[in-house]
Amino acid sequence: MLYISRRIGESILIDGKIEVVLYQISGKQVKLGVLAPKNTSVYRKELLEKILEENKMAYEAAKNLFVNDTNKSEGEEKTPMSELRNKLSTLNSLLHKSIVEVKRGDTININSIFKIMADIEPILAGNDDPIVKEIVDGLVEKYDELIMEIRKKQQDLDDELSKLRNNMKASKVYKNE
């Protein structure tokens, strides 16, 4: 591990592309700013560990669905659980990626999320499997989180627009005097 001393406003570069700036020191806490290319994901370690654990649990639950589907006897009707597993996994990844992009202020394509939701709706209809219900409940929570982040960004944009309008009005008044 490399240890580096930095003062407020000083930074370090990682791979020549990622800049970490010491922003503020307050007691035992420091605030860092991270400037990275848009295609680089930056996470707090504990958040990334939680995301990886959630993805692992979703994968295991989806894998159990597939195993349960392939173990059905020949007389029973089989459902496309492998397709469902893949679509749920893709939806989980898209939702997570979209949340991160919205928090960064990037534009997202929500149509791909809606398409997958429309694709899995017939598969989920009438499916009483508790594992499926648990996975879908987790996805609904992520979807709600995405909507909440979109609303926050919209409010931030509305606030910025209001400030700009007020500044423009003040500028016109100043110019007329």
Side-chain angles (χ1 to χ4, degrees):
M1 181 177 292
L2 174 66
Y3 294 95
I4 299 174
S5 297
R6 299 280 73 196
R7 291 189 171 103
I8 294 175
E10 294 181 335
S11 61
I12 61 168
L13 283 176
I14 300 171
D15 200 27
K17 298 174 188 166
I18 301 169
E19 182 177 10
V20 180
V21 181
L22 180 57
Y23 179 71
Q24 183 180 22
I25 302 172
S26 179
K28 292 183 179 182
Q29 187 177 30
V30 297
K31 286 188 180 181
L32 302 173
V34 180
L35 298 169
K38 283 189 174 190
N39 62 347
T40 303
S41 297
V42 179
Y43 298 98
R44 294 188 325 259
K45 182 180 177 183
E46 65 275 9
L47 179 59
L48 181 59
E49 289 170 349
K50 180 181 176 190
I51 291 166
L52 293 174
E53 184 61 32
E54 286 176 359
N55 286 345
K56 181 180 174 186
M57 288 174 15
Y59 170 77
E60 290 298 323
K63 187 169 86 173
N64 289 339
L65 282 175
F66 179 69
V67 169
N68 290 341
D69 188 46
T70 56
N71 288 338
K72 287 184 177 181
S73 64
E74 288 191 29
E76 292 182 79
E77 183 181 323
K78 290 189 179 185
T79 57
M81 285 300 167
S82 60
E83 181 184 347
L84 178 60
R85 181 193 69 210
N86 289 337
K87 289 185 185 278
L88 289 173
S89 177
T90 302
L91 183 57
N92 186 50
S93 297
L94 276 173
L95 286 168
H96 174 71
K97 180 180 178 227
S98 296
I99 291 167
V100 170
E101 289 173 345
V102 168
K103 285 182 178 180
R104 270 198 318 231
D106 295 346
T107 303
I108 63 168
N109 181 358
I110 202 159
N111 291 332
S112 53
I113 292 171
F114 289 146
K115 181 182 180 331
I116 293 172
M117 291 169 79
D119 288 348
I120 64 174
E121 186 177 4
I123 302 170
L124 294 175
N127 189 326
D128 295 332
D129 189 324
I131 296 172
V132 172
K133 184 180 180 333
E134 183 179 332
I135 293 170
V136 171
D137 288 348
L139 291 172
V140 168
E141 285 179 22
K142 267 198 175 151
Y143 181 76
D144 289 343
E145 182 181 352
L146 174 61
I147 297 302
M148 183 180 70
E149 289 300 327
I150 290 170
R151 286 184 177 142
K152 282 183 193 174
K153 283 296 175 187
Q154 181 63 46
Q155 184 60 48
D156 291 347
L157 290 172
D158 289 345
D159 292 347
E160 286 298 315
L161 186 58
S162 178
K163 286 179 189 175
L164 285 171
R165 284 183 179 143
N166 289 338
N167 287 342
M168 288 175 61
K169 287 177 186 175
S171 176
K172 285 180 183 178
V173 168
Y174 178 74
K175 285 181 181 177
N176 290 336
E177 289 181 358

